[in-house]
Amino acid sequence: MPQYGTRPLPVVTGGSNGIGYSLAQQFASNGYDILIAAEDAHHLEQAAACLAAGGAKLETHAGDLATEEGVNSLYGALRGRPVDVLCVNAGVGLGNAFVETDLQRELRMVDLNVRGAVQLIKLVLKGMVARNEGKLLFTSSIAATMPDPFGAVYGGTKVFLRWFGEAPRNELKDTDVAVMVLMPGVTDTGFFHRADMDDTRAGATQSKDDPDVVAKAAYEALMADTHKVVPTLRNKVMAGVADVTPAPLAAQIHRGLSEPGSGKT
């Protein structure tokens, strides 16, 4: 690990692309050193080269955060350096009917989106509480406001992250450790392609949110100690309606976005 100065250190998982990369950009432009973590070393190197052009001191860590060993390796790479901000952003999705999807891919999704997140947060949050300072960001999804047909396991992991984030925030309300849940809507990243959802209405739409806009909203809300943020007015309205809509109706509405073939005209 390079010799850092005295600037605060955020750790961003899934930081080589998409919302994670945009989050790293926010920290880079606001005077932070950064550690970005992801599985693909080549993508990390490309991301780091772009981020470092702005003057931030960058470290990358390639590892499989769906495994206990991978999370421990990331934590060990910190070499005792306090983490000022932890962005738990790494995650994958998988579309199609639950009865037809691959079980091993779904179990790995649970390991990355849930088990690995819990492990990393447990390790890092203990240090934050001991110092009585730090910030923690969970990347959930607007999908956590409604049932997710044709993305049942993914949606379940995001529901977990939504409420898991709110619980320690309450536990730590008398400390100076801030916890926030980010709930983005349909965003212009590689998520839908990797999740085999290119032919869905959500995957095919041309009106996806800009990940830089999502990340800016997340950064500002985190600095303001907001408990959650749903970026863009359109998504705020959708999330508010979904939260009070009966589950069967909400599931049917979501089906219109996630059903295979729904994006074809």
Side-chain angles (χ1 to χ4, degrees), residues 38-124:
E39 188 172 9
D40 190 299
H42 178 63
H43 290 165
L44 279 169
E45 291 173 2
Q46 291 179 318
C50 294
L51 291 167
K57 295 183 179 179
L58 263 293
E59 173 71 1
T60 64
H61 182 82
D64 185 358
L65 299 180
T67 67
E68 182 176 358
E69 296 78 9
V71 175
N72 284 336
S73 177
L74 170 58
Y75 186 66
L78 297 170
R79 299 182 185 178
R81 168 107 190 244
V83 176
D84 295 277
V85 184
L86 175 61
C87 295
V88 183
N89 174 79
V92 294
L94 180 62
N96 216 335
F98 174 69
V99 72
E100 298 177 3
T101 44
D102 181 78
L103 175 61
Q104 294 307 310
R105 285 184 67 179
E106 286 172 328
L107 292 176
R108 177 174 171 78
M109 185 196 314
V110 173
D111 283 339
L112 176 61
N113 296 12
V114 175
R115 194 209 56 78
V118 170
Q119 181 186 351
L120 182 58
I121 292 163
K122 177 77 79 171
L123 293 170
V124 174

